[in-house]
């Protein structure tokens, strides 16, 4: 167990896959783990056709009852990753409404083709586990850097808006709490 921000600076061996599952970026200490500076170091660790998957917070924008608009949190994470040269896309778990970002340094990777081949473009089969929708609407966001840490603001805004919002995770109710 180490400080991930420091660890990615010190490691020099190449990886084919990196899985990042940090707590929600609800404060500036956690938001630094979702910055362009951090992702730049992650990218340095990857082989050219490698992947990184990032747990990226709540998927839905609570203002959209149709559930077709993504929250600012995963969009900001994806855009932050793109700002350092990743080819990055958002997918979500429809069961617990968590978003994820799949990213690669490979500019030829096409998420829409991958999602279709994996059967995750609808809400049947594997799409019940995770889904990708190229038609999701997105809010305008700023990238998250050590100088801005905008992601903490997006996450706290989502928490405030959610209030007593509950989500269903494998049949159990759970509440989002900021601390």
């Amino acid at each position: 167990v180490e400080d991930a921000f420091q660890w990615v600076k010190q490691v020099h061996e190449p990886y084919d896959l990196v899985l990042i599952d940090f707590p929600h970026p609800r404060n500036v200490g956690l938001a630094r783990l979702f910055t362009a500076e951090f992702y730049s170091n992650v990218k340095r660790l990857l082989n050219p056709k490698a992947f990184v998957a990032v747990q990226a917070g709540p998927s839905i924008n609570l203002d959209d009852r149709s559930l077709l608009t993504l929250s600012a949190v995963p969009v900001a994470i994806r855009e932050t990753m793109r700002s350092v040269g990743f080819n990055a896309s958002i997918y979500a778990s429809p069961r617990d409404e968590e978003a994820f970002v799949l990213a690669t340094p490979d500019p030829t990777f096409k998420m829409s083709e991958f999602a279709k081949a994996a059967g995750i473009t609808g809400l049947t089969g594997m799409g019940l586990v995770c889904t990708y929708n190229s038609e999701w609407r997105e809010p305008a966001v700023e990238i998250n850097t050590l100088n801005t840490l905008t992601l903490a603001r997006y996450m706290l805004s989502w928490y405030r808006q959610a209030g007593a919002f509950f989500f269903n995770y494998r049949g159990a109710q759970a509440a989002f709490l900021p601390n």
Side-chain angles (χ1 to χ4, degrees), residues 25-26 31 142 148-158 160:
R26 63 184 180 267
E142 297 174 35
T148 63
L149 295 172
T150 56
L151 195 57
R153 187 178 75 234
Y154 295 143
M155 188 75 246
L156 289 175
S157 173
W158 191 92
R160 278 192 297 279

Side-chain angles (χ1 to χ4, degrees), residues 76-142:
I77 292 170
R78 185 203 55 212
E79 291 305 307
T80 299
M81 295 183 84
R82 285 180 175 176
S83 78
V84 298
F86 275 109
N87 177 354
S89 300
I90 297 169
Y91 65 100
S93 168
R95 293 189 67 170
D96 63 7
E97 298 165 351
E98 282 289 313
F100 301 86
V101 173
L102 181 64
T104 178
D106 180 4
T108 66
F109 176 75
K110 294 183 177 26
M111 183 63 174
S112 57
E113 292 175 12
F114 171 79
K116 186 176 180 182
I120 62 169
T121 57
L123 295 177
T124 61
M126 283 303 295
L128 293 171
V129 177
C130 67
T131 190
Y132 168 78
N133 184 344
S134 62
E135 311 263 327
W136 278 321
R137 294 183 294 262
E138 303 177 4
V141 296
E142 297 174 35

Side-chain angles (χ1 to χ4, degrees), residues 18-24 33-34 52-57 98-100:
V18 173
L19 304 174
I20 300 176
D21 186 12
F22 296 136
H24 285 176
L33 296 171
F34 296 85
V52 58
V54 180
Q55 189 280 343
E98 282 289 313
F100 301 86

Side-chain angles (χ1 to χ4, degrees), residues 35-67:
T35 58
E37 293 84 354
F38 178 78
Y39 292 133
S40 179
N41 281 309
V42 170
K43 187 173 182 255
R44 181 186 55 77
L45 297 177
L46 297 176
N47 286 317
K49 299 251 183 203
F51 286 93
V52 58
V54 180
Q55 189 280 343
S59 63
I60 59 170
N61 180 318
L62 298 173
D63 287 330
D64 181 3
R65 298 240 184 252
S66 73
L67 306 180

